[in-house]
Amino acid sequence: MRDGDTIVALSSGSVPAGVAVIRLSGPATRDLLLSLAGDLPPPRRLSMRTLRDGEEVLDRGLVAWFPGPRSFTGEDSAELQLHGSPAVVRAILRALTSRARVRLAEAGEFTRRAFENGRLDLTAVEGLGDLIAAETENQRRQALARAAGGLSDRVAHWRSDLVHLRAEIEARLDFSDEGDVGLDLPPRVAVSLEALRAELAEALSNFGRGRIVRDGLRVALAGPPNVGKSSLLNALARSELAIVSDEPGTTRDVREVAMDLGGQLVLLVDMAGLRQAESKAEAEGVRRAEREVAQADLVLWLTAPDVPAQEPPASPGEIWRIASKSDLARGEEALAISSRTGAGIGELLERLTAFAQTRGGGGEAPLLSRERDREAIAAALEALDGAAEALGQAEVAAELLRQASHSLARLIGAVDAEAVLDRLFLSFCIGK
């Protein structure tokens, strides 16, 4: 990215299409509009214009002009709504980029300029990226709340409380010789500190739910070889996605299938059967399967009447025992299914949907959803815990409160944002 350039991009997806939207942002935007459209339309209003490159008419479409700083990027910006023809888009982009210091935008560059110009903070940028990638209703709600500044507002409130707490403590350090500033902290300091700790602890407790909304509920289909894991995957997904065979060890890799259950993303994970492997390839499959079980939010542990029983390994998630192949014989588990006849599959889907709703849905969308969020809030909470214990030592307490504030500042990108930005914008599309 080069400072001072004006950037342009097709923002509306691939052509041909009914309408193509081309975005511009940067110092040359005004002159480019004057050159193409002949004049500037009223700010923030769509106006019909004939677009020309010199004397040649390129197209006729709607033009919107957004003078900075009241624009998405904080710079002079514009949008051109044109006919969605590949030839029209090429001609417009060629006319724009033929000018000095005007170039095609890189992935996420419009949003990065919005961040650098103070129009968005880092959590809002992440929310915007999540909104673009959202596939389910819960993801849309969560991302929209974050992009709209939901987490930013919470962090601003917490940082404001920290400023007041630090002011109370540091006043005792700096002005203890003044007559109206006593040495002892007033009781409201401990009360306010405890209230702030409780707010951060509550936010942190909802991280697991937020992570499930954003990344999906991981459901591991596990059990010994040949109990019907791949058949169950196909039955739940209603598609022949996995190879099914009565030969044990057929599945050796991890297969992940995404489903939308009641607005919640659920990831079904098929894997190798757990047993003492007979080959290196199968041993690697078993190792990966064990790792998936250890990471799952829910394990469906399958048993079958024609396969020796085996106890499931330990898992941090819930374990449901499922009696597979009920068309051969009814198992003792609470839920019996047959992927061949479809018996029990509907009931299992209903239970999965209810479980997913409980773990990810319901109520206000959790705003903490990334590991970076968890680390920042946990670090701030640890510093607050230390400050609460050190209130009798004003200098120590003040430094711990400063550390808590710094952790929250990192969360919104007020400090140390560059590495996070570089990684984040790799997932953005051109023109956003």
Side-chain angles (χ1 to χ4, degrees), residues 6-198:
T6 296
I7 55 174
V8 301
L10 174 66
S11 297
S12 53
S14 61
V15 291
V19 176
V21 179
I22 291 177
R23 304 179 78 185
L24 303 80
S25 182
T29 299
R30 179 189 181 93
D31 292 339
L32 289 169
L33 276 187
L34 288 170
S35 175
L36 281 177
D39 67 347
L40 290 177
R44 288 169 289 280
R45 288 178 58 186
L46 284 172
S47 304
M48 183 67 73
R49 292 291 187 273
T50 298
L51 304 180
R52 292 180 170 87
D53 184 12
E55 297 299 320
E56 181 184 4
V57 175
L58 301 179
D59 195 19
R60 183 169 172 79
L62 294 172
V63 176
W65 158 239
F66 305 97
R70 292 179 59 193
S71 70
F72 174 72
T73 62
E75 306 173 321
D76 286 350
S77 302
E79 288 190 3
L80 312 176
Q81 296 187 13
L82 312 166
H83 292 97
S85 154
V88 167
V89 171
R90 282 196 301 268
I92 296 292
L93 291 178
R94 184 167 56 245
L96 292 171
T97 56
S98 64
R99 316 297 172 89
R101 302 299 300 274
V102 181
R103 59 175 174 81
L104 295 175
E106 300 175 18
E109 192 167 2
F110 287 91
T111 306
R112 182 157 191 159
R113 291 189 177 199
F115 170 80
E116 291 172 346
N117 292 323
R119 301 293 292 177
L120 298 172
D121 72 13
L122 188 52
T123 61
V125 170
E126 290 170 330
L128 188 57
D130 289 344
L131 185 59
I132 294 170
E135 297 179 352
T136 68
E137 180 63 16
N138 286 350
Q139 288 178 325
R140 181 195 64 79
R141 291 172 54 229
Q142 180 190 63
L144 190 60
R146 187 169 177 131
L151 183 54
S152 308
D153 293 343
R154 294 283 298 278
V155 171
H157 165 70
W158 294 333
R159 294 183 74 198
S160 176
D161 287 351
L162 282 168
V163 167
H164 291 305
L165 286 169
R166 289 175 62 189
E168 288 275 10
I169 294 174
E170 290 172 4
R172 269 70 190 168
L173 294 173
D174 297 336
F175 305 107
S176 58
D177 56 342
E178 300 290 338
D180 58 346
V181 179
L183 292 175
D184 296 330
L185 289 172
R188 66 174 178 271
V189 173
V191 172
S192 297
L193 180 55
E194 182 55 37
L196 182 57
R197 289 171 63 200

Side-chain angles (χ1 to χ4, degrees), residues 94-356:
R94 184 167 56 245
L96 292 171
T97 56
S98 64
R99 316 297 172 89
R101 302 299 300 274
V102 181
R103 59 175 174 81
L104 295 175
E106 300 175 18
E109 192 167 2
F110 287 91
T111 306
R112 182 157 191 159
R113 291 189 177 199
F115 170 80
E116 291 172 346
N117 292 323
R119 301 293 292 177
L120 298 172
D121 72 13
L122 188 52
T123 61
V125 170
E126 290 170 330
L128 188 57
D130 289 344
L131 185 59
I132 294 170
E135 297 179 352
T136 68
E137 180 63 16
N138 286 350
Q139 288 178 325
R140 181 195 64 79
R141 291 172 54 229
Q142 180 190 63
L144 190 60
R146 187 169 177 131
L151 183 54
S152 308
D153 293 343
R154 294 283 298 278
V155 171
H157 165 70
W158 294 333
R159 294 183 74 198
S160 176
D161 287 351
L162 282 168
V163 167
H164 291 305
L165 286 169
R166 289 175 62 189
E168 288 275 10
I169 294 174
E170 290 172 4
R172 269 70 190 168
L173 294 173
D174 297 336
F175 305 107
S176 58
D177 56 342
E178 300 290 338
D180 58 346
V181 179
L183 292 175
D184 296 330
L185 289 172
R188 66 174 178 271
V189 173
V191 172
S192 297
L193 180 55
E194 182 55 37
L196 182 57
R197 289 171 63 200
E199 285 189 36
L200 264 66
E202 181 183 4
L204 191 60
S205 70
N206 285 324
F207 167 74
R209 194 162 64 94
R211 191 267 307 166
I212 286 174
V213 170
R214 180 177 183 269
D215 297 335
L217 181 82
R218 298 191 69 83
V219 179
L221 310 184
N226 212 30
V227 290
K229 298 182 296 298
S230 297
S231 296
L232 177 57
L233 176 73
N234 291 341
L236 292 173
R238 296 184 175 89
S239 180
E240 296 297 321
L241 297 172
I243 298 174
V244 176
S245 169
D246 58 4
E247 179 184 348
T250 299
T251 301
R252 295 189 175 184
D253 207 348
V254 172
R255 176 182 291 272
E256 190 175 288
V257 176
M259 296 182 67
D260 183 342
L261 296 183
Q264 171 61 46
L265 176 63
V266 174
L267 302 174
L268 302 177
V269 185
D270 185 25
M271 61 192 70
L274 298 182
R275 68 171 180 178
Q276 190 68 34
E278 299 177 357
S279 68
K280 290 183 179 180
E282 187 181 355
E284 176 60 21
V286 171
R287 186 189 68 80
R288 295 184 184 187
E290 291 172 341
R291 181 183 62 196
E292 288 296 332
V293 169
Q295 296 175 346
D297 300 300
L298 172 65
V299 177
L300 302 186
W301 183 257
L302 273 65
T303 61
D306 57 345
V307 177
Q310 184 175 318
E311 283 299 304
S315 173
E318 284 194 28
I319 298 177
W320 294 359
R321 295 174 181 264
I322 309 294
S324 182
K325 303 183 184 180
S326 64
D327 52 304
L328 299 181
R330 173 79 188 202
E332 297 180 357
E333 280 73 8
L335 181 57
I337 63 166
S338 171
S339 300
R340 177 175 296 174
T341 67
I345 299 298
E347 182 183 350
L348 177 57
L349 271 172
E350 290 179 3
R351 289 183 58 180
L352 283 174
T353 302
F355 184 81

